[in-house]
Amino acid sequence: KTKKRAISEADVLLLKKFKPKTSQQQRAKDYFFMSFYMMGTSFIDLAFLKLSNINNGRIEFRRKKTGQLHSIKITPPLQEILNRYIEGKTNSEFILNVIKSKEESKQYIQARDELKRINKRIKDIGKLCGITQPLTSYVARHTYATIANTKDVPLSIISQSLGHKDQKTTAIYLAQFGSDVIDKYNEFIIGSDTSS
């Protein structure tokens, strides 16, 4: 058991409708939705994406954490975000403007520092939207998994989408169902006629 970090689809819609007033807010919103549209991709993986990772309408990369290969179709809302960052860049350049150093050790520090800034800004945006759950970049990942689960996407598909090697890890991400949902399924399982 771990603290659930997902937000509802209604809250996702509030975030989508939010109009950023600064470039920092725009980046925070973009990074959150890039993660969401890319099946909950972690911020560290987003930060290290290069233009060369885009091939034939897909983004292909290996997860930093597990080395697992991801190939994600670029949907129209994802393309809209990408367009703000890829113009004028070469294949060897990073898509996002997070990593500027050529030294790997400094690259991770730059990604970590930007993640702190992004988390602060996305938290502020959440408050402005009236979302009670404190937002972080990781909330996008948990939300993707939980929404998939509520839409009856098989656990094996959610697990593979998130790049998990074990479905037990995926289960940790998923929000627990309310008692009304459990009651409904219990009645379905035992039959509507409960007389003995």
Side-chain angles (χ1 to χ4, degrees):
K1 300 267 181 174
T2 187
K3 186 179 178 184
K4 304 301 183 234
R5 293 187 260 188
I7 57 174
S8 68
E9 284 188 85
D11 285 343
V12 171
L13 195 57
L14 288 174
L15 280 179
K16 281 183 184 177
K17 289 179 177 177
F18 176 77
K19 303 288 186 202
K21 292 179 175 60
T22 66
S23 59
Q24 291 90 352
Q25 284 183 344
Q26 183 67 62
R27 276 203 315 276
K29 181 181 175 183
D30 284 347
Y31 295 176
F32 184 92
F33 278 104
M34 264 187 87
S35 172
F36 184 75
Y37 295 142
M38 289 177 61
M39 304 189 299
T41 297
S42 70
F43 179 79
I44 195 75
D45 287 325
L46 295 179
F48 277 90
L49 288 176
K50 293 186 176 182
L51 209 57
S52 59
N53 291 110
I54 298 177
N55 293 299
N56 299 318
R58 304 185 75 82
I59 296 183
E60 298 174 335
F61 64 98
R62 290 195 178 275
R63 282 194 73 202
K64 291 286 182 192
K65 191 173 181 179
T66 63
Q68 188 170 345
L69 181 65
H70 262 332
S71 179
I72 300 169
K73 183 180 178 181
I74 298 174
T75 57
L78 176 57
Q79 185 66 62
E80 189 180 324
I81 294 171
L82 289 172
N83 289 343
R84 285 196 276 275
Y85 297 92
I86 61 177
E87 191 178 338
K89 288 186 177 172
T90 64
N91 269 358
S92 61
E93 290 182 89
F94 294 105
I95 293 173
L96 301 180
N97 306 317
V98 174
I99 296 169
K100 296 168 175 65
S101 177
K102 300 230 185 282
E103 293 178 46
E104 193 172 346
S105 60
K106 288 184 180 176
Q107 290 176 345
Y108 277 95
I109 292 168
Q110 288 171 341
R112 183 199 64 202
D113 291 347
E114 178 70 351
L115 179 58
K116 286 179 187 173
R117 289 188 289 270
I118 289 303
N119 279 339
K120 183 182 184 307
R121 289 178 195 130
I122 200 69
K123 199 170 286 181
D124 291 341
I125 289 171
K127 287 176 185 174
L128 290 170
C129 290
I131 298 170
T132 55
Q133 161 84 7
L135 296 186
T136 66
S137 64
Y138 226 60
V139 169
R141 187 165 170 81
H142 282 252
T143 301
Y144 175 84
T146 297
I147 290 174
N149 192 44
T150 60
K151 292 180 183 293
D152 295 325
V153 174
L155 185 61
S156 57
I157 298 291
I158 300 171
S159 188
Q160 189 171 331
S161 298
L162 294 172
H164 289 159
K165 291 181 177 179
D166 187 343
Q167 288 185 22
K168 289 177 187 172
T169 307
T170 307
I172 292 169
Y173 279 63
L174 304 178
Q176 292 185 28
F177 293 107
S179 56
D180 57 330
V181 177
I182 302 296
D183 291 346
K184 185 181 81 172
Y185 276 99
N186 183 44
E187 287 171 14
F188 171 71
I189 292 163
I190 65 174
S192 57
D193 181 10
T194 55
S195 59
S196 51

